[in-house]
Amino acid sequence: MFLINNEIKELPLDVYSVSERNRWALLPYNQHINLLDCLDLYKLHDKYEGFTIFFNYKIFVFYDSEVSEERIRFTLAHEFGHILLFHISEVSPANYEQEANMFANRILMPLCVLKECKAFSAEKIAKLCGTTVTASENRLKRLNKIMERNKFYLSPLENRVLEQFKVFIEKNRYDK
């Protein structure tokens, strides 16, 4: 639903445009040290690659901009998961991190698009999606499981995503 609602039609996902479209402020740690200090959040800078707060009816996503662009993209997609899955609270259950990681994987590397592009290696997925090879290896395992079970195209949402990505898929098929 996220890809459809945000009219995402190509990969790698532009996390900055998505943030802007949803009016979520992205704040790199190194450019907002004083703000982190004022909000008494400086200690989180060393603990997490990113975190999200609600303040004054707005959403602020702080993140480490001094890591690779692939890591930044995953971190921001992970934080988008926390926002959209309503995980922002004082006490976060352990499964919130796993759920946010699953959300990030799904929006950064949609399985139906990977299948149609014939991205059947971690390297191809990483290149297509702008993710790390490690993240791509994990997504490839999931892609292979779903392909073994032949469980594609059962959801109307999945079919809408495919339609939305139609032009991208035609340009980026690995069997051409």
Side-chain angles (χ1 to χ4, degrees):
M1 194 65 133
F2 177 86
L3 296 172
I4 294 166
N5 288 346
N6 283 279
E7 300 175 8
I8 307 301
K9 297 178 182 182
E10 58 186 41
L11 300 173
L13 176 69
D14 184 346
V15 291
Y16 305 100
S17 292
V18 168
S19 177
E20 187 175 308
R21 178 186 186 107
N22 288 282
R23 296 189 173 110
W24 301 329
L26 299 182
L27 306 172
Y29 292 148
N30 63 351
Q31 295 176 22
H32 296 87
I33 299 296
N34 291 339
L35 178 59
L36 287 167
D37 236 0
C38 289
L39 295 172
D40 197 28
L41 297 172
Y42 190 77
K43 60 188 172 284
L44 297 178
H45 169 273
D46 293 329
K47 191 172 179 181
Y48 302 108
E49 280 190 30
F51 64 91
T52 300
I53 64 167
F54 285 106
F55 183 75
N56 223 14
Y57 303 102
K58 293 187 180 187
I59 295 173
F60 298 89
V61 179
F62 290 90
Y63 68 99
D64 184 354
S65 63
E66 296 179 3
V67 295
S68 71
E69 189 61 33
E70 294 85 2
R71 282 298 315 154
I72 291 170
R73 187 177 293 107
F74 191 89
T75 297
L76 294 177
H78 174 97
E79 291 306 313
F80 298 168
H82 283 309
I83 295 164
L84 294 169
L85 297 169
F86 303 103
H87 289 173
I88 311 302
S89 67
E90 292 296 317
V91 180
S92 296
N95 64 325
Y96 278 7
E97 293 306 310
Q98 183 179 5
E99 288 174 2
N101 280 340
M102 285 174 40
F103 180 90
N105 282 322
R106 289 175 177 167
I107 67 170
L108 293 172
M109 301 172 278
L111 292 178
C112 60
V113 175
L114 299 179
K115 181 180 183 294
E116 290 302 314
C117 286
K118 301 192 182 302
F120 298 134
S121 73
E123 292 75 18
K124 287 178 180 176
I125 293 170
K127 182 178 178 187
L128 191 70
C129 301
T131 54
T132 64
V133 173
T134 302
S136 300
E137 286 169 347
N138 292 329
R139 198 63 174 151
L140 179 61
K141 288 176 189 172
R142 183 71 181 148
L143 176 62
N144 287 333
K145 281 183 184 177
I146 299 300
M147 286 179 57
E148 281 175 22
R149 294 179 11 220
N150 197 24
K151 294 292 182 181
F152 281 96
Y153 319 118
L154 302 176
S155 161
L157 291 177
E158 182 179 46
N159 290 314
R160 285 177 61 192
V161 168
L162 277 178
E163 183 61 32
Q164 206 161 289
F165 275 84
K166 190 176 186 175
V167 172
F168 175 83
I169 290 167
E170 283 303 314
K171 290 180 183 176
N172 292 281
R173 288 178 66 111
Y174 278 103
D175 65 344
K176 286 184 164 182

